[in-house]
Amino acid sequence: MIIRTAQITDLPEIMAVYAQARKYMAENGNATQWDAAYPSEELVKEDIRLGQCYVGTDDKEKIHFVFALIIGEDPTYLRIEQGAWLNNSPYGTIHRLGSDGTRKGCFAECLTFCLNRIPNLRADTHRNNLTMQHLLEKYGFRRCGIIYVKDGSERLAYQREPGIPFS
């Protein structure tokens, strides 16, 4: 797989990947994390404009997964309940990871890419997103507490500190 910065011309394919990810989540007990309009085209366009949207492609340039890597303080992470962050060092956040479901190992590829840019990573997910919780924990993220996203709904907050072996 090749991971590259997304381009605006990738938008239709990115939105198709997100549609498939929403379908998977709904079929696997997580119908409420992403509504039918999330992530919106406007949000994805902004991620692309800011250079923080990435796609994983095969050798024919077909997009199999998409994610945002945002380096710097995430406003929704300023308040954490029922726990604490592992550290307060500069970090990156993995957001909006979606896969078309046709390739295994997308999370590991995404994580390797992100770790090569910043070794201190955070992520969050819905309580019902058991797939993401499993992947985060499998690859060395520790559950740190509860954060609240912009709409006020809670998310399980995770962090992976530098130096954790990649399993």
Side-chain angles (χ1 to χ4, degrees):
M1 292 292 271
I2 299 159
I3 297 178
R4 63 171 173 76
T5 306
Q7 304 300 312
I8 198 67
T9 54
D10 296 323
L11 190 60
E13 214 173 339
I14 288 171
M15 298 313 291
V17 169
Y18 280 135
Q20 184 59 38
R22 284 191 300 274
K23 182 177 185 256
Y24 172 87
M25 290 193 311
E27 291 171 351
N28 288 277
N30 184 25
T32 59
Q33 181 173 351
W34 288 359
D35 65 24
Y38 188 86
S40 69
E41 277 196 20
E42 292 74 29
L43 180 58
V44 176
K45 284 178 184 176
E46 182 68 1
D47 282 343
I48 292 170
R49 186 186 71 75
L50 294 171
Q52 61 193 24
C53 182
Y54 299 91
V55 293
T57 69
D58 61 23
D59 58 356
K60 294 183 171 95
E61 279 290 303
K62 174 162 177 33
I63 296 172
H64 291 284
F65 65 96
V66 59
F67 63 96
L69 173 62
I70 302 167
I71 297 176
E73 189 173 273
D74 185 320
T76 61
Y77 290 179
L78 294 176
R79 184 176 125 231
I80 186 168
E81 295 179 355
Q82 300 176 33
W85 295 112
L86 301 176
N87 66 56
N88 291 315
S89 299
Y91 62 91
T93 305
I94 301 170
H95 278 304
R96 297 180 280 288
L97 174 61
S99 164
D100 69 0
T102 65
R103 303 283 290 246
K104 294 213 178 283
C106 294
F107 183 83
E109 299 246 7
C110 167
L111 181 58
T112 299
F113 178 88
C114 294
L115 288 171
N116 284 329
R117 276 139 191 85
I118 188 161
N120 193 32
L121 291 171
R122 293 181 183 180
D124 63 83
T125 193
H126 194 279
R127 187 173 300 279
N128 293 337
N129 194 337
L130 301 179
T131 299
M132 184 56 73
Q133 290 173 53
H134 168 76
L135 288 169
L136 289 166
E137 292 168 10
K138 176 181 177 179
Y139 288 100
F141 284 80
R142 290 185 37 210
R143 190 179 299 186
C144 295
I146 307 281
I147 59 102
Y148 295 88
V149 294
K150 197 182 217 180
D151 71 4
S153 60
E154 75 169 33
R155 295 292 185 269
L156 303 177
Y158 288 83
Q159 186 169 8
R160 188 181 197 284
E161 289 187 289
I164 301 294
F166 194 93
S167 50

